[in-house]
């Protein structure tokens, strides 16, 4: 149950992805990157550009909200990555760790990196940029848009004292 929100802007996401790329440099060069769709696609594109990596594979994992604990299905396998040897797995975040667990099962020899990690999913990562409290919901720039909010004094729902 999210009780607070962490809003990530495009600029912040880009800075965080470049920071992750810089931290990944000494672990490379990588044969290729496996992006976990869909949230990992944009971070993977940024990191691929920074690491000058041209081989990009994807893995598509669908998790089911009602059974969030442990239920996930792979609808597209990362064929080009084999057992993951020499490959870098990228996602936007780990929350429960269910998605990371499934993907690491497919690619046991790959390195797993993401931008944001909640405590429960943190053990599944080899590298991440920012830890986020478990009850905080990360709002990504692709999920949000700035909204005009009228000044308090002009809102018709505020009774004038
Ligand atoms: O650690 P977990 O509890 O598995 O949560 C983390 C996953 O959840 C989100 O993806 P989502 O399943 O919403 O699909 P999407 O990336 O295609 O939007 C996020 O992009 C991670 O992949
Ligand atoms: N956008 C978003 N998706 C998630 N999937 C699991 N946890 C999160 C989160 O904190 N934010
Ligand atoms: Mg995802």
């Amino acid at each position: 149950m999210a009780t607070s929100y962490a809003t990530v802007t495009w600029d912040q996401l880009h800075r965080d992805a470049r920071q992750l790329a810089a931290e990944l440099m000494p672990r490379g060069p990588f044969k290729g990157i496996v992006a976990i769709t869909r949230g990992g696609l944009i971070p993977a594109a940024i990191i691929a550009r920074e690491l000058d990596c041209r081989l990009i594979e994807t893995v598509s994992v669908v998790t089911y909200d009602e059974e969030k604990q442990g239920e996930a299905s792979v609808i597209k396998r990362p064929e080009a990555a084999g057992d993951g040897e020499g490959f870098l797995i990228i996602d936007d975040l780990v929350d429960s760790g269910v998605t990371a667990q499934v993907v690491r099962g497919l690619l046991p020899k790959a390195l797993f990196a993401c931008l944001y990690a909640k405590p429960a999913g943190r053990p599944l990562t080899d590298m991440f940029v920012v830890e986020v409290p478990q009850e905080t919901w990360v709002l990504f720039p692709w999920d949000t848009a700035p909204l005009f909010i009228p000044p308090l004094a002009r809102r018709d729902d505020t009774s004038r004292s």
Side-chain angles (χ1 to χ4, degrees), residues 68 92-96 118 132 136-140 142-143:
K68 185 80 181 171
D92 51 357
L93 97 138
V94 288
D95 190 325
S96 68
K118 300 200 187 165
V132 173
T136 298
W137 188 260
V138 178
L139 285 172
F140 289 99
W142 49 80
D143 284 335

Side-chain angles (χ1 to χ4, degrees), residues 6 13 19 40 42 54 69-70 78 98 100 122 127 144:
L13 188 114
Q19 165 84 25
I42 290 171
R54 304 259 173 177
Q69 304 312 323
V98 166
R122 188 176 163 158
M127 203 175 282
T144 56

Side-chain angles (χ1 to χ4, degrees), residues 36-97:
I36 302 179
T37 68
R38 299 155 304 165
L41 287 168
I42 290 171
I46 296 167
I47 289 163
R49 186 263 178 191
E50 297 305 329
L51 300 187
D52 204 19
C53 178
R54 304 259 173 177
L55 178 63
I56 315 298
E57 172 65 294
T58 61
V59 56
S60 297
V61 183
V62 181
T63 53
Y64 302 98
D65 280 349
E66 55 277 11
E67 312 127 30
K68 185 80 181 171
Q69 304 312 323
E71 285 298 303
S73 69
V74 177
I75 63 170
K76 185 258 174 213
R77 296 173 67 88
E79 303 298 353
D83 63 2
E85 174 75 46
F87 278 77
L88 167 64
I89 304 165
I90 295 294
D91 208 351
D92 51 357
L93 97 138
V94 288
D95 190 325
S96 68

